[in-house]
């Protein structure tokens, strides 16, 4: 029993802290977001590789804090840019549903829904400036009373998350499970 509790504590507290340790740095694309570690990798990225990757986010961030799932896009771009992949070879899309739709909202809606300031807005603007697409599930938006006018500039409204994933799949975007 003691070993099980120790393993759980390691997974819940120690490993996440290590992921933000001194060997993790931001840049070269995003200097304020997406810390990554440089790796001496044996698995090589093929020359001329084009990344078209989509992420699925349903968990909302902590009130007033950046949604860590959104920051994954900055991490993806920073780590691959550090590995020599040109920015123009990386196309990312984030499909957002569930309570995470509030994290895509303008200040007034976010304040009403979450009760704090939306710390995601600057990071989302930086990501969208680099071509990252944020697509909100219209069904979740309707459920949580989020309208197109409530969304931050650049966020796309889809009929549903299922629709967005199906369309992105036909466009060649692979689903990243992280």
């Amino acid at each position: 029993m003691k070993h099980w509790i120790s393993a759980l504590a390691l997974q819940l507290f120690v490993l996440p802290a290590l992921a933000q340790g001194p060997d993790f740095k931001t840049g070269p694309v995003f200097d304020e977001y997406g810390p990554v570690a440089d790796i001496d990798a044996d698995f090589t990225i093929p020359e001329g590789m084009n990344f078209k990757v989509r992420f699925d986010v349903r968990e909302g961030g902590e009130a007033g804090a950046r949604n860590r799932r959104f920051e994954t896009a900055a991490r993806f771009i920073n780590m691959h840019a550090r590995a020599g992949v040109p920015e123009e070879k990386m196309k990312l899309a984030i499909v957002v549903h569930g309570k995470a739709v509030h994290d895509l909202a303008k200040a007034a809606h976010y304040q009403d829904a979450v009760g704090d300031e939306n710390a995601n807005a600057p990071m989302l603007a930086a990501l969208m400036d680099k071509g990252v697409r944020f697509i909100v599930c219209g069904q979740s938006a309707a459920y949580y009373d989020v309208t197109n006018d409530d969304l931050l500039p650049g966020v796309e409204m889809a009929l549903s998350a299922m629709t967005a994933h199906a369309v992105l799949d036909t466009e060649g975007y692979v689903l990243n499970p992280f």
Side-chain angles (χ1 to χ4, degrees):
M1 179 81 160
K2 274 186 171 178
H3 296 290
W4 178 82
I5 293 171
S6 296
L8 181 62
L10 178 69
Q11 286 181 324
L12 292 177
F13 303 108
V14 177
L15 292 178
L18 291 176
Q20 299 299 321
D23 292 337
F24 284 72
K25 298 173 183 64
T26 58
V29 179
F30 300 103
D31 292 327
E32 296 181 38
Y33 314 108
V36 296
D38 291 323
I39 304 298
D40 183 17
D42 294 326
F43 183 90
T44 58
I45 299 169
E47 186 73 29
M49 176 74 182
N50 285 306
F51 286 98
K52 288 182 87 175
V53 181
R54 70 185 193 271
F55 298 84
D56 183 86
V57 177
R58 70 171 188 248
E59 300 90 13
E62 296 291 322
R66 292 193 308 251
N67 187 320
R68 293 180 62 190
R69 297 295 307 267
F70 295 163
E71 192 158 10
T72 297
R75 291 184 61 239
F76 185 97
I77 292 170
N78 276 343
M79 83 171 85
H80 288 91
R82 284 176 171 263
V85 177
E87 286 181 56
E88 63 271 9
K89 299 279 188 177
M90 294 182 267
K91 296 192 183 327
L92 304 182
I94 315 297
V95 178
V96 182
H97 56 104
K99 286 189 175 185
V101 299
H102 296 302
D103 292 343
L104 298 176
K106 293 176 185 169
H109 177 88
Y110 188 89
Q111 179 68 41
D112 288 346
V114 180
D116 211 326
E117 186 175 321
N118 190 350
N120 293 293
M123 180 177 65
L124 295 176
L127 287 163
M128 287 188 276
D129 282 348
K130 293 295 184 177
V132 177
R133 294 174 67 188
F134 284 85
I135 305 166
V136 69
C137 170
Q139 303 304 302
S140 293
Y143 182 82
Y144 289 107
D145 199 27
V146 176
T147 67
N148 292 58
D149 290 337
D150 294 323
L151 296 173
L152 291 165
V155 174
E156 301 171 63
M157 178 77 76
L159 176 62
S160 70
M162 295 181 285
T163 305
H165 279 295
V167 170
L168 290 167
D169 189 67
T170 65
E171 293 175 354
Y173 284 82
V174 296
L175 180 62
N176 188 307
F178 301 105

